[in-house]
Structure formats: structure tokens, C-alpha cells
Amino acid sequence: MQRELSALARSLHNATPGAYEKLAEFLLGKMPGTFGARAPALALGYDDYSKNHAPQALAWLTKAKGDALLNEYVLFWIAQTQRVLKRNVDALANLETMQREHPGSAMREQIL
């Protein structure tokens, strides 16, 4: 399962046609709600964000919440997506949470 997931994530990164759909199908079918699904959900959320699909991005990024290792990145990309959706109050709350919980973040300048 890890090899398949790794190959799908690599395909998404390389913009292989159909990779997004295959990774989403894999997550929803084989890994719904599991801890291991959070990193690929972050990848799908970022992919949607970078393609200006903010509502879809927010849905994936919300699924990625709760991962202690990814929390900093999830909060950041959720805030960025909320800004695109004109949900500035929510975005600011996430950035403040990020600043409070991750004061040494490599993304500190972007947060400020």
C-alpha cells in the first residue's frame, strides 16, 4: 500500500494525467479517515490550491488536520485557501494559531 501511495503522490507531483483522480480514489477507497491519509490529503489540497480550486482544496486540507507533524503546513495552507475564499477572519485565526503553536516556523515571514 505504501509503494502504491508513493507512486501516486509522485505522479501527482509530476502532473501525470489522471494522477489527481487516482490518488483521491485511493484515499477515499483504501484509507478513509486513517492517519496515513493525512499527508496525501495535504498534497491534494495543495494541488487544488495551486490550480485555483479553493473549495476543493479546503475540503482536502480539512481532512489533513490533526497530524502533529503536518499541523504547521496544514494551518498555513488552510489560511491561504480561506483568504482566496474571502474568509479573512478564519484565515487570520489560523495564522495566529500557527504563530502561537509554531513560533520557530520556517514560514514565519510568510505568516507575518
Side-chain angles (χ1 to χ4, degrees), residues 67-79:
D67 187 319
L69 294 175
L70 299 175
N71 185 40
E72 170 180 5
Y73 301 99
V74 171
L75 285 172
F76 179 78
W77 288 111
I78 285 176

Side-chain angles (χ1 to χ4, degrees), residues 6-94:
S6 178
L8 289 169
R10 194 170 20 271
S11 294
L12 179 67
H13 177 71
N14 293 332
T16 303
Y20 178 94
E21 292 78 12
K22 288 178 185 175
L23 183 56
E25 182 180 308
F26 181 83
L27 287 176
L28 296 173
K30 294 185 180 178
M31 303 176 76
T34 64
F35 178 77
R38 291 181 181 150
L42 175 59
L44 287 167
Y46 175 77
D47 188 67
D48 275 331
Y49 173 84
S50 66
K51 294 177 180 170
N52 296 318
H53 301 146
Q56 297 90 333
L58 191 57
W60 283 117
L61 292 166
T62 300
K63 290 178 192 244
K65 276 182 124 175
D67 187 319
L69 294 175
L70 299 175
N71 185 40
E72 170 180 5
Y73 301 99
V74 171
L75 285 172
F76 179 78
W77 288 111
I78 285 176
Q80 295 303 313
T81 303
Q82 289 169 328
R83 287 184 61 224
V84 170
L85 294 170
K86 308 276 190 248
R87 293 174 48 189
N88 293 327
V89 172
D90 295 333
L92 179 60
N94 278 311

